[in-house]
Amino acid sequence: MAALFSNLRHRPLWQVCGLGLAVGLLVSVPLARRHPLAGWWGLGIGDVVVLGQDAGGSNTDTIFTLKVKPGSTRITQIPRDSYINPDGFGAMKINGLLRRGGPEAVERELTRLMNRPVRHHVVVSLQTLPLLANLVGGIEVDVPKRLYYVDRSQDLVIDLQPGRQVLSSKALEGFLRWRNDGYGDFGRLERQQLGLKGLANRLRQPQNLLKLPLLLGVVRTQVQTDLNPVQMAGLAAGLISTDLDAHRLEARPFSRGGISYLETTWPN
């Protein structure tokens, strides 16, 4: 198996993506959701931490783990202001650990805190989800209320009306980043769930399954990861062929040394 992975690393990207397309088609047709092989290619990867970098690329704006299981993909969202005290770094918010210790430090700390091994990482930019949404014709979400916010320093203009609609590009980015409702990160985590589920629903549409090689190619240019191309294709196939079971960790605010944190309840 190791020799197979090594061989695939040196193959042209279009050949690896073609394998991903074949896997995606195998497990994503309607009957495949009840097929014993549905999601099989993603099962051996284990927990993967996904880290979305903020606009400046310094701290982590989005943190969640995902794992493909038989019939479902478990997504665990982690509040970015969670208080941690990792060995060698001292007390901080978890969103600063990537910058100070790299993705491996995040894997080690989450393995300790979540009581399960987190073996792999995917670091993405804020633009990745809107970019993928553009390629699949946008993502349908239900905007809960009027969202309006302007921050010229970040070139950010959010102006959305309530109701079910298809979002892409800057509109989707604004929907995912908006947090001016008194709920802060908790509201943002809910909107991220909607965005992820909307993307998964789009990817299951037959016309978008045919775009899987293109989508995987885009992802490879947008991410930093220790997953090899076969594992990335398997993870994509698992996401498409299973139901998303997404939840966020509970947390409550507190202050220490004049800094606001979240005391997060980690899994037992």
Side-chain angles (χ1 to χ4, degrees):
M1 186 64 71
L4 171 63
F5 286 167
S6 176
N7 183 44
L8 284 168
R9 281 196 188 97
H10 301 291
R11 288 183 176 274
L13 182 60
W14 69 267
Q15 291 184 13
V16 177
C17 290
L19 172 62
L21 174 61
V23 173
L25 289 174
L26 172 65
V27 301
S28 300
V29 294
L31 291 178
R33 295 175 64 80
R34 297 186 295 274
H35 193 281
L37 291 180
W40 179 83
W41 278 75
L43 291 177
I45 298 173
D47 279 273
V48 178
V49 60
V50 179
L51 302 162
Q53 291 183 307
D54 61 19
S58 56
N59 289 332
T60 308
D61 195 68
T62 300
I63 308 171
F64 62 88
T65 63
L66 61 84
K67 181 178 182 179
V68 177
K69 303 190 297 180
S72 69
T73 296
R74 178 184 66 197
I75 294 179
T76 304
Q77 296 174 294
I78 301 164
R80 65 179 188 169
D81 289 342
S82 297
Y83 175 87
I84 59 171
N85 192 3
D87 290 341
F89 298 97
M92 66 169 72
K93 297 179 180 182
I94 196 170
N95 72 338
L97 187 54
L98 175 65
R99 173 175 54 86
R100 295 185 59 183
E104 293 80 9
V106 180
E107 289 177 22
R108 290 193 299 271
E109 184 65 3
L110 288 179
T111 293
R112 182 181 71 86
L113 292 169
M114 301 182 72
N115 293 306
R116 59 179 184 251
V118 180
R119 301 187 180 92
H120 298 287
H121 63 267
V122 177
V123 182
V124 302
S125 69
L126 277 177
Q127 290 73 36
T128 302
L129 185 55
L131 182 58
L132 292 176
N134 291 348
L135 294 175
V136 297
I139 293 176
E140 185 176 15
V141 298
D142 190 0
V143 179
K145 59 184 177 181
R146 178 86 162 91
L147 305 182
Y148 182 79
Y149 178 75
V150 177
D151 186 342
R152 299 297 181 186
S153 66
Q154 298 188 48
D155 189 28
L156 178 63
V157 178
I158 304 172
D159 187 4
L160 297 173
Q161 299 293 332
R164 185 165 292 280
Q165 54 200 281
V166 176
L167 301 180
S168 58
S169 303
K170 286 289 186 180
L172 178 59
E173 181 182 344
F175 175 77
L176 296 172
R177 294 180 64 185
W178 194 80
R179 56 183 296 180
N180 296 76
D181 57 359
Y183 295 101
D185 252 10
F186 299 125
R188 178 183 289 190
L189 290 173
E190 290 179 2
R191 287 185 290 276
Q192 289 171 0
Q193 281 192 31
L194 293 175
L196 289 170
K197 290 179 179 178
L199 178 61
N201 289 335
R202 282 293 197 190
L203 290 174
R204 293 182 185 122
Q205 297 177 352
Q207 70 272 22
N208 287 324
L209 287 174
L210 297 176
K211 298 178 183 177
L212 188 57
L214 173 62
L215 295 172
L216 287 172
V218 169
V219 168
R220 293 294 297 179
T221 66
Q222 294 289 313
V223 307
Q224 170 195 344
T225 182
D226 60 346
L227 294 170
N228 62 50
V230 171
Q231 290 172 318
M232 285 291 288
L235 191 62
L239 285 168
I240 293 170
S241 65
T242 62
D243 294 321
L244 293 188
D245 176 19
H247 72 281
R248 66 172 174 83
L249 297 180
E250 296 297 325
R252 66 174 185 84
F254 76 100
S255 180
R256 176 171 294 180
I259 301 175
S260 296
Y261 297 96
L262 289 174
E263 182 181 6
T264 298
T265 302
W266 300 99
N268 294 322

